[in-house]
Amino acid sequence: MLGEVLAEVTRSGVVESVHAGHIVLLNADGSILFQMGDPTLDIYSRSSLKSIQASAMVRAGLDIEPRLLALVCASHAGTTMHQQGAQAILAKAGLDEHSLQCVLDRPLDEELRRTAESTRLAMNCSGKHAGMLATCVINGWPIDSYLDPAHPLQRAIKAEVEEMSGENIAGISIDGCGAPLFLFSLLGLARAIRNLTISTDQVHQEVAQACRDFPEMVSGPGRLATRMMQNIDGLFMKDGAEAVNVSSLSDGRTFVFKVSDGSLRAFRTIVHACLKDFGIDTSFTPEKVMGGPRVIGTIRATI
């Protein structure tokens, strides 16, 4: 599981800590440009898979404006616009927040999290759950059991994941939000995301473009995925819990990684290093390691 070192934390020229994991970069044609660790390792993709889940919902009839579709793909910050967006999806289906079965949580936004109460709307996956419920209403599927892996909605999502990744699901667990969670390889995840971004299927084009057009709905103001999609034309990016990231450019160049210790500390450094490998200058400012008031080290990528 450990993989290889993807980033080092240095202090006064000495490597103080490391973050190991697994990573794969795909060329535009889908061939492997670079890899470290074991890309064939089965992982839980967590929220990095939401665009594929959303694709299954749209294919099953979910019809909402692009801004709200981006929210279905989101791990949102829980701001007012995010919570109101989830309410709007539910309202269109004749439902309200009481139908949500995601766990209670406070917003991910740091300032809001200090003062807000835990609610299902504030939970970062409420957009996905609202989309799931709306899809069930459209199809006449039961809403009380929409998180059951045997439910028609979850079977449709599983089929979409297998089709896009080219792999059979190796196992099913439960995500932090309560939804079914699929186990398959890091390389399969990279292929699924690449297939999403280069697809000529109208469903996939609609989902990917909604995220690119409304990146603030996918994550939130100032957060990494939002900032990167705002600043790099054609980029699709989505992170997931336990340090999973998927990123793909409109020409099919894709990178996916999993940091084995689940820490997000090296995320920004690894993302910028991968983009640099694709020839994209992101004007990256290295992370600072402080010694009192002075900068005495950094976090550096080893890929």
Side-chain angles (χ1 to χ4, degrees):
M1 177 65 204
L2 186 61
E4 297 182 61
V5 174
L6 305 181
E8 298 174 333
V9 182
T10 67
R11 182 177 297 274
S12 298
V14 175
V15 176
E16 183 176 32
S17 302
V18 298
H19 293 287
H22 310 269
I23 191 167
V24 61
L25 282 69
L26 301 181
N27 291 305
D29 64 3
S31 60
I32 295 177
L33 171 66
F34 177 80
Q35 68 181 57
M36 290 180 70
D38 181 8
T40 68
L41 179 73
D42 285 338
I43 67 163
Y44 291 122
S45 53
R46 305 299 293 267
S47 289
S48 69
L49 193 66
K50 283 179 177 172
S51 59
I52 309 300
Q53 292 172 306
S55 294
M57 296 180 220
V58 173
R59 196 175 305 287
L62 180 63
D63 183 15
I64 53 178
E65 63 180 277
R67 183 179 68 89
L68 297 180
L69 181 56
L71 185 64
V72 174
C73 301
S75 297
H76 63 71
T79 67
T80 298
M81 70 176 178
H82 295 124
Q83 296 192 45
Q84 289 180 346
Q87 286 178 313
I89 296 170
L90 293 166
K92 185 175 181 180
L95 303 173
D96 60 26
E97 62 194 86
H98 296 97
S99 298
L100 293 170
Q101 293 182 30
C102 53
V103 297
L104 296 165
D105 200 1
R106 290 176 293 166
L108 290 182
D109 179 88
E110 291 183 6
E111 184 175 345
L112 292 174
R113 193 170 183 85
R114 286 194 292 268
T115 58
E117 295 182 359
S118 294
T119 68
R120 288 186 170 83
L121 280 175
M123 199 271 161
N124 71 89
C125 298
S126 64
K128 178 182 75 174
H129 282 253
M132 287 180 171
L133 284 163
T135 305
C136 290
V137 170
I138 289 167
N139 287 278
W141 295 334
I143 63 172
D144 58 341
S145 58
Y146 76 95
L147 297 182
D148 187 331
H151 190 283
L153 170 66
Q154 302 302 337
R155 293 204 306 267
I157 290 173
K158 178 175 178 285
E160 188 83 18
V161 173
E162 291 182 330
E163 175 68 22
M164 295 291 281
S165 67
E167 296 184 9
N168 293 324
I169 298 302
I172 299 177
S173 185
I174 303 172
D175 210 336
C177 66
L181 179 63
F182 303 113
L183 183 70
F184 61 109
S185 79
L186 187 78
L187 181 56
L189 178 60
R191 288 171 173 159
I193 298 303
R194 175 183 173 273
N195 285 336
L196 175 80
T197 57
I198 67 168
S199 177
T200 58
D201 186 323
Q202 184 176 350
V203 167
H204 298 145
Q205 292 179 344
E206 182 179 342
V207 170
Q209 196 58 44
C211 295
R212 295 190 192 104
D213 288 345
F214 297 94
E216 71 280 2
M217 298 301 286
V218 177
S219 189
R223 301 181 73 209
L224 181 62
T226 293
R227 287 189 286 109
M228 298 307 291
M229 286 192 283
Q230 286 173 334
N231 290 306
I232 299 175
D233 289 341
L235 178 68
F236 169 82
M237 179 179 288
K238 183 69 187 72
D239 52 13
E242 296 302 318
V244 181
N245 179 279
V246 302
S247 301
S248 188
L249 295 157
S250 55
D251 63 5
R253 288 177 293 168
T254 300
F255 64 87
V256 174
F257 63 83
K258 157 72 177 171
V259 181
S260 295
D261 64 7
S263 170
L264 304 180
R265 181 167 62 168
F267 242 55
R268 192 167 73 93
T269 298
I270 297 170
V271 164
H272 285 273
C274 290
L275 289 169
K276 185 176 181 180
D277 281 351
F278 285 149
I280 298 173
D281 181 11
T282 57
S283 301
F284 173 60
T285 302
E287 301 281 359
K288 298 176 182 178
V289 172
M290 306 301 294
R294 295 187 299 117
V295 177
I296 60 171
T298 189
I299 302 176
R300 64 190 184 201
T302 58
I303 62 175

